[in-house]
Amino acid sequence: MTAGEHGRSHVCARSDVRRSQADTTSDHRARRGCASIGLRRGGTLAHVRTVILDPPTAGLEELLERRRRAGLDRLDEVWEGELHMVPAPSGEHADIVQQLAEVLGPLARAAGLVATMGDFNLGDGEHDYRVPDGGVHRQRPRGVWHTTAALIVEIISPGDETWEKLPFYAAHHVDEALIVNPAERRVHWLALAQGQYQPVQHSSLIELGPVDLTDQIDWPTVEDA
């Protein structure tokens, strides 16, 4: 059901917003939709899901187009037909990305792998994909869509959906997941075993583990963590 048909159409968004593909067509907004917005409760903001009933709320198309033109949609994801709008990364996020690139790059090359510390589309196509913050690949990646990776990197932002992505990565046979939490100054390293991710103390892909990596990161101050 598209946004122009009778029924529900939803867009999944968050007030701490991240990325969408440049092509924000009705396919991305198909099926159900939800917008997670901030509501005042006792002087604080709480994230709630909101269903947008057809026809779409006035201004929604314009919002999506403005995000596309400004390049704010590059991190957005589509989860089984639902568009999840993701905020642009912070300076602290970029700081950690650069540090990870400097650490992972040489180790990946030494293992005959290719590190790409930059967001990429992991999935089979535009109707269902996730956008990790970086990855390690067995071959140099080419094109728009990447069906798998040897390792994905996710840097947690407040209120994001990093942990909810793990079943998708497992279904796409990603061997390892490196999850970096700046608020806790902690690194989680997970390996796929029997369809689920389990914590490991050392990567089987490169010469590194969570303890060593944690010690190598010059952790930025995260004000809103």
Side-chain angles (χ1 to χ4, degrees):
M1 181 176 294
T2 64
E5 296 174 355
H6 179 68
R8 295 183 182 180
S9 115
H10 347 304
V11 176
C12 283
R14 293 198 310 275
S15 59
D16 56 68
V17 193
R18 264 182 91 173
R19 151 180 184 194
S20 125
Q21 195 71 1
D23 178 17
T24 50
T25 63
S26 61
D27 285 338
H28 285 193
R29 298 184 296 276
R31 303 188 187 180
R32 331 188 316 263
C34 44
S36 177
I37 58 176
L39 297 181
R40 292 283 177 185
R41 291 184 183 175
T44 62
L45 284 172
H47 296 293
V48 298
R49 285 193 179 279
T50 301
V51 175
I52 302 171
L53 299 177
D54 284 324
T57 303
L60 179 59
E61 296 284 346
E62 291 81 359
L63 169 63
L64 295 173
E65 177 60 19
R66 285 200 306 272
R67 283 172 55 76
R68 185 194 67 78
R69 289 199 307 267
L72 297 176
D73 63 353
R74 68 183 182 85
L75 295 176
D76 292 352
E77 301 171 332
V78 175
W79 294 38
E80 297 181 349
E82 292 184 350
L83 173 63
H84 289 226
M85 296 168 65
V86 182
S90 65
E92 291 83 359
H93 183 283
D95 183 350
I96 291 178
V97 166
Q98 180 61 32
Q99 293 188 56
L100 292 175
E102 295 174 5
V103 173
L104 296 179
L107 296 176
R109 289 191 293 273
L113 303 170
V114 180
T116 57
M117 276 311 301
D119 44 83
F120 64 95
N121 299 314
L122 196 150
D124 298 316
E126 64 182 6
H127 299 291
D128 195 17
Y129 65 92
R130 308 295 181 268
V131 185
D133 294 306
V136 172
H137 307 265
R138 290 189 166 81
Q139 297 179 343
R140 193 173 297 278
R142 292 289 185 267
V144 175
W145 306 107
H146 309 285
T147 57
T148 191
L151 175 145
I152 59 90
V153 178
E154 290 279 2
I155 300 171
I156 293 178
S157 299
D160 77 7
E161 298 173 296
T162 290
W163 294 103
E164 288 88 343
K165 296 182 187 182
L166 291 181
F168 180 88
Y169 292 142
H172 284 74
H173 310 292
V174 176
D175 297 302
E176 295 183 2
L178 169 57
I179 298 176
V180 179
N181 190 331
E184 297 179 355
R185 299 191 171 196
R186 182 179 179 188
V187 171
H188 302 267
W189 209 303
L190 310 174
L192 190 61
Q194 298 181 339
Q196 294 187 325
Y197 288 103
Q198 302 294 336
V200 294
Q201 296 306 309
H202 197 281
S203 171
S204 64
L205 299 167
I206 61 176
E207 287 299 322
L208 191 64
V211 175
D212 290 341
L213 180 56
T214 299
D215 291 342
Q216 291 186 55
I217 295 175
D218 181 10
W219 296 97
T221 300
V222 181
E223 299 295 342
D224 56 352

